Amino acid sequence: MILAGGKGVRLRPYTTALPKPLMPIGDSHSILQIVLDQLASRGFTSVTLAINHLGPLIRAFVGDGRRWGLVIDYVEEDKPLSTVGPLFGLKDMLPDEFLVMNGDILTDLDYGDLLRTHKLSGAGLTLATSERVHQIDFGVLDVDAGRIVGFREKPALRYPVSMGVYGMSRKTLDPYPAGLAFGFDQLVLDLLAVGDPPATYPFDGFWLDIGRPEDYDEANRSFPQIKPILLPAHPRPLGVALADGTAAGDPLAAADLSAVVRAGELT
């Protein structure tokens, strides 16, 4: 399921005429096309797109998904529901575990392995994370009771950030009513409050969040170099055993591997 209803405000004026998932990368690919190619190569079989802003263009481009070997259908949002809210009305359609991702990222993360890892973790939510480094331009003081107890000259701060790709369990959505506008930030805080902390999936490969014009320009500049790692030459079946003992490449397991690709509400 691909939620593609956002207006892509930060990428204006580009997204005035095109929805963000259809923004071209390189000469012959769109962001959404790359994501669908990747999902198909990892053994996913079904995708649902929740659409709103310029939704008919997405329908016209994607169709029923047969060109990717995927079964693709659509749900249309009639009002903005943020980044998790669109899922609340679809609880009866979703498998026990599924993938949720922002549609404005380019990454070579193994989506199938993330979903397998989430299923084995028992957590209600698993966040793919990437380490970021922020260079401080000043000397940093450690102060205690008005006295300097330490000094670090222009330190580099390292911290994990959410990549916008998630493994989720359907039970996590149970407390929330359909139609509620709700974001991932609120969901994480709720899970922490009830003692069900989300799991993490650390990733050190390529990741580019295309949220701003400068990020989009960088993606186009670097696409000839990153294309070989983003686009698989041949589809690869999922051959790792799942917790219930079925092989992920088996038809029974493949039926569980539905994808919810977050491709909108990103402002």
Side-chain angles (χ1 to χ4, degrees), residues 136-213:
I136 303 296
D137 294 330
F138 306 96
V140 174
L141 306 176
D142 299 316
V143 178
D144 182 24
R147 297 282 185 169
I148 295 174
V149 296
F151 178 82
R152 291 166 289 157
E153 176 62 22
K154 299 180 180 178
L157 301 182
R158 299 177 180 272
Y159 47 89
V161 300
S162 173
M163 294 174 57
V165 186
Y166 313 88
M168 182 179 286
S169 299
R170 184 172 57 183
K171 64 181 182 181
T172 303
L173 305 175
D174 287 344
Y176 304 99
L180 175 67
F182 204 76
F184 266 105
D185 54 342
Q186 297 167 285
L187 180 62
V188 169
L189 293 173
D190 279 3
L191 290 172
L192 292 173
V194 299
D196 184 15
T200 62
Y201 182 89
F203 176 69
D204 61 0
F206 177 80
W207 172 54
L208 179 61
D209 175 9
I210 304 176
R212 304 168 302 173

Side-chain angles (χ1 to χ4, degrees), residues 1-3 48-50 73-77 81 84-95 98 170 173 176-179 260:
M1 172 178 162
I2 298 180
L3 306 175
T48 298
L49 289 89
D73 57 12
Y74 300 83
V75 172
E76 187 155 5
E77 299 176 14
L81 296 175
V84 181
L87 301 177
F88 298 156
L90 306 171
K91 288 181 280 190
D92 294 339
M93 299 171 49
L94 296 170
F98 53 95
R170 184 172 57 183
L173 305 175
Y176 304 99
V260 180

